[in-house]
Amino acid sequence: EAGVAQSPRYKIIEKRQSVAFWCNPISGHATLYWYQQILGQGPKLLIQFQNNGVVDDSQLPKDRFSAERLKGVDSTLKIQPAKLEDSAVYLCASSAGRTSYEQYFGPGTRLTVT
Amino acid sequence: KNQVEQSPQSLIILEGKNCTLQCNYTVSPFSNLRWYKQDTGRGPVSLTIMTFSENTKSNGRYTATLDADTKQSSLHITASQLSDSASYICVVSLLYNTDKLIFGTGTRLQVFP
């Protein structure tokens, strides 16, 4: 079974620019998560989707971050405008939802804001 | 406050040696505890998942233990290999909301020949 796909793998932008990340979850997985992982720390949940609805976005900085999962499959996460402190790895994960505890992570996108 | 703490922060061992990583948590109500391995530049991969009633679980050379009374877990790696070099993250999920994961900051393990 194919894993969680993310692109791009690396991105370097200047502060105040905008950037978008894409995630394609494992086929059939209803739940999709975006995490931010700052170097040396564990991942922090930004937003959780159940199909195309938002379940939890309490830690998403909504003044600059947005995410969508329009058709309940793939998802995009956008940052506009970026700040230096947004430099991190952005991980996408998916799970089958109520039938499984397991979250499967993608390889991540490493963002550097200069 | 729901927290997961891991020790040591980093560890260096020689190939073939054993090691044990520690995890203490204050998450309540507890549902399950997971250990993930994260290679540099990759996403975390699950090694073990243990529920309240399980006190040990193995995955090859990895053995996790759980003491739900003291809220402690350990991950023991036997006969380490160079490919074991990675970060190991302890993660606890909440009862009634198993999607909500509380991550530790990880232990960075380096295995040298």
Side-chain angles (χ1 to χ4, degrees), chain A residues 10-22:
Chain A
Y10 306 92
K11 190 74 177 179
I12 300 174
I13 61 172
E14 295 181 351
K15 59 184 179 183
R16 291 187 290 274
Q17 286 187 322
S18 62
V19 64
F21 312 128
W22 174 82

Side-chain angles (χ1 to χ4, degrees), chain B:
Chain B
K1 182 180 178 183
N2 290 320
Q3 270 189 317
V4 176
E5 296 182 346
Q6 294 187 242
S7 62
Q9 198 170 30
S10 62
L11 183 62
I12 297 175
I13 62 173
L14 294 177
E15 186 178 16
K17 298 296 186 183
N18 303 334
C19 66
T20 300
L21 314 180
Q22 302 291 343
C23 173
N24 297 329
Y25 62 93
T26 57
V27 177
S28 182
F30 171 89
S31 175
N32 61 74
L33 184 145
R34 318 165 189 210
W35 283 94
Y36 281 91
K37 178 186 179 187
Q38 186 173 23
D39 292 311
T40 301
R42 306 184 82 77
V45 174
S46 179
L47 294 174
T48 62
I49 297 178
M50 289 182 291
T51 61
F52 185 90
S53 58
E54 297 173 296
N55 55 26
T56 187
K57 185 164 277 190
S58 291
N59 178 358
R61 295 179 296 102
Y62 301 102
T63 299
T65 64
L66 173 63
D67 186 333
D69 291 331
T70 62
K71 298 186 177 181
Q72 295 180 324
S73 176
S74 66
L75 180 69
H76 185 75
I77 304 174
T78 304
S80 62
Q81 300 177 357
L82 298 179
S83 59
D84 293 331
S85 295
S87 288
Y88 292 84
I89 307 175
C90 178
V91 184
V92 179
S93 72
L94 294 167
L95 193 63
Y96 310 126
N97 187 0
T98 51
D99 287 331
K100 180 76 172 177
L101 302 184
I102 313 298
F103 288 83
T105 55
T107 292
R108 176 72 184 159
L109 174 66
Q110 296 180 75
V111 181
F112 286 107

